[in-house]
Amino acid sequence: MHTLQARLFPFLIALAVLVVPPSQAQNRDTDELGGALSSIGQQYADNYTQPITDALGANLNAGLFRTAEVGGEGIVPVIDLYVGVAGTGALTAGSPESFQLTNDVIEAGNGRQLRIEYPNTDLPTAFGENESPGSADIIDVQTDTKVDEVPLPSSLIDTPIAPLAVPQIGAGTVLGTDAQIRFLPETSISDYGSVSLFGLSVRHSLSQYIPLSPVNLAVQGTWQSLSLSGSDDSINSGEIVDASGWALNAQVSKSLPVAPITFYGGLQYEQFGVDVGYTFEATTNQRGNSQTSTTTSTVSFEQDASNNVRALAGVSVTLAVIQLNVDYALASNNTVSAGVGITL
């Protein structure tokens, strides 16, 4: 019997660039998302992973800009180029730490149902208490007989901030418009599977229409997607997670005339959602019967991140071709963002 913690959540950690302490690792040979999801019910996985979806959505929609100035940043005339990395961190203080759930029901096909009965106690989320609540029994609904048992996970990790690092390239300017791309090709993560990321932002200057504007003003739209597939030898070897989101923001910035320092801020409306689909698998047997059988069922669910609106403020410093920035955003999940890049 494999624990959910050992197999499901190292992947979720990989998405958020977190690390599972070695002491929490069990059965490392099946340490991947597809194997983990195949042995747990939909409602448990939904409640447990919601804080991670919230953190991932908050992080991916952070660090999208460093100034509201469109054009004029680089040292090459007409062409502005930025190559850098945005490091973002969602604060987890407001994330739910526990939930209560009586049971999950799995449709096993041919009219058969399996009921997963959970202990009558608070069940930890990924960012909750670091103690396992025990085990869940799998019951054949038709015979009301226990046919399997699933150990339940403790929290994923106790951390005040869930970090993420995203590479990004920006280029412009055409008619007061520039673009920025975030891209991670399909990359294998040990035995957890593979992950890929793509994002596109388009920004347009508003201050160009305001003669002698004392500040730079711009609007920006962003769309991003993330996909994760299970490892080749997993029962869930295809795409398991399909996540996407978009953001619209209004930006303002002001550069100091006597120093290479720019203060910036903005208001942003955003949405981020995750679709999860996997195959549940259980090895069941009846009491008094030594024969076992494998039961499978297709399970899917959707999650939306809690962030919808954020307000942010930050500062950037340009030293020759090196640009550094840091900002803080207020939202359902507050975030801090820092970036470093080269401007040409």
Side-chain angles (χ1 to χ4, degrees):
M1 186 65 63
H2 307 298
T3 66
L4 176 64
Q5 180 181 1
R7 294 172 295 164
L8 170 59
F9 302 112
F11 155 69
L12 296 171
I13 284 296
L15 288 184
V17 193
L18 299 175
V19 177
V20 177
S23 61
Q24 293 182 356
Q26 302 176 39
N27 301 320
R28 304 300 294 182
D29 56 328
T30 56
D31 208 0
E32 51 90 23
L33 178 65
L37 287 176
S38 68
S39 63
I40 198 68
Q42 175 257 314
Q43 293 185 75
Y44 196 103
D46 192 2
N47 282 279
Y48 192 99
T49 60
Q50 182 65 56
I52 297 176
T53 294
D54 293 340
L56 187 60
N59 278 330
L60 281 178
N61 284 319
L64 296 175
F65 65 95
R66 301 154 295 281
T67 176
E69 183 178 7
V70 181
E73 291 185 83
I75 61 176
V76 179
V78 183
I79 299 176
D80 289 308
L81 180 65
Y82 175 87
V83 180
V85 176
T88 64
L91 306 185
T92 63
S95 299
E97 296 183 352
S98 64
F99 62 96
Q100 291 187 336
L101 185 63
T102 303
N103 60 69
D104 264 321
V105 176
I106 299 293
E107 299 293 337
N110 298 323
R112 187 186 185 196
Q113 291 182 324
L114 298 178
R115 185 175 66 251
I116 307 177
E117 296 185 347
Y118 301 109
N120 184 24
T121 185
D122 287 343
L123 306 172
T125 67
F127 298 151
E129 293 293 330
N130 192 25
E131 292 184 5
S132 172
S135 299
D137 295 331
I138 298 182
I139 308 297
D140 187 309
V141 173
Q142 283 68 31
T143 62
D144 199 30
T145 303
K146 178 180 175 180
V147 294
D148 205 351
E149 186 174 299
V150 180
L152 298 176
S154 61
S155 69
L156 179 60
I157 192 171
D158 182 11
T159 177
I161 185 169
L164 179 69
V166 182
Q168 48 194 16
I169 300 175
T173 306
V174 178
L175 301 177
T177 302
D178 62 15
Q180 179 172 267
I181 292 177
R182 291 176 164 181
F183 179 67
L184 179 68
E186 186 171 358
T187 303
S188 296
I189 307 174
S190 184
D191 296 326
Y192 306 144
S194 60
V195 61
S196 61
L197 168 69
F198 178 80
L200 174 64
S201 298
V202 177
R203 183 174 61 163
H204 188 70
S205 171
L206 298 181
S207 51
Q208 66 177 328
Y209 304 113
I210 306 173
L212 303 177
S213 174
V215 296
N216 289 299
L217 301 169
V219 290
Q220 182 185 53
T222 298
W223 178 83
Q224 299 180 88
S225 67
L226 181 146
S227 175
L228 182 120
S229 300
S231 61
D232 292 339
D233 58 352
S234 168
I235 185 177
N236 291 293
S237 58
E239 184 180 62
I240 301 171
V241 173
D242 180 17
S244 63
W246 55 267
L248 298 173
N249 62 54
Q251 311 168 6
V252 59
S253 69
K254 175 67 175 179
S255 297
L256 298 182
V258 295
I261 298 175
T262 299
F263 295 95
Y264 63 93
L267 292 174
Q268 179 168 290
Y269 180 75
E270 62 194 62
Q271 288 190 353
F272 185 82
V274 173
D275 295 329
V276 178
Y278 63 95
T279 299
F280 170 88
E281 182 180 70
T283 300
T284 61
N285 67 284
Q286 302 290 337
R287 286 182 178 177
N289 188 343
S290 60
Q291 293 183 340
T292 62
S293 62
T294 300
T295 301
T296 62
S297 178
T298 300
V299 181
S300 63
F301 63 91
E302 300 178 357
Q303 288 183 339
D304 290 320
S306 60
N307 273 11
N308 292 121
V309 179
R310 74 174 69 197
L312 65 96
V315 59
S316 65
V317 178
T318 303
L319 305 173
V321 297
I322 304 299
Q323 188 175 71
L324 308 172
N325 73 282
V326 62
D327 61 57
Y328 188 85
L330 296 175
S332 297
N333 275 89
N334 295 344
T335 57
V336 60
S337 172
V340 57
I342 298 176
T343 59
L344 299 175

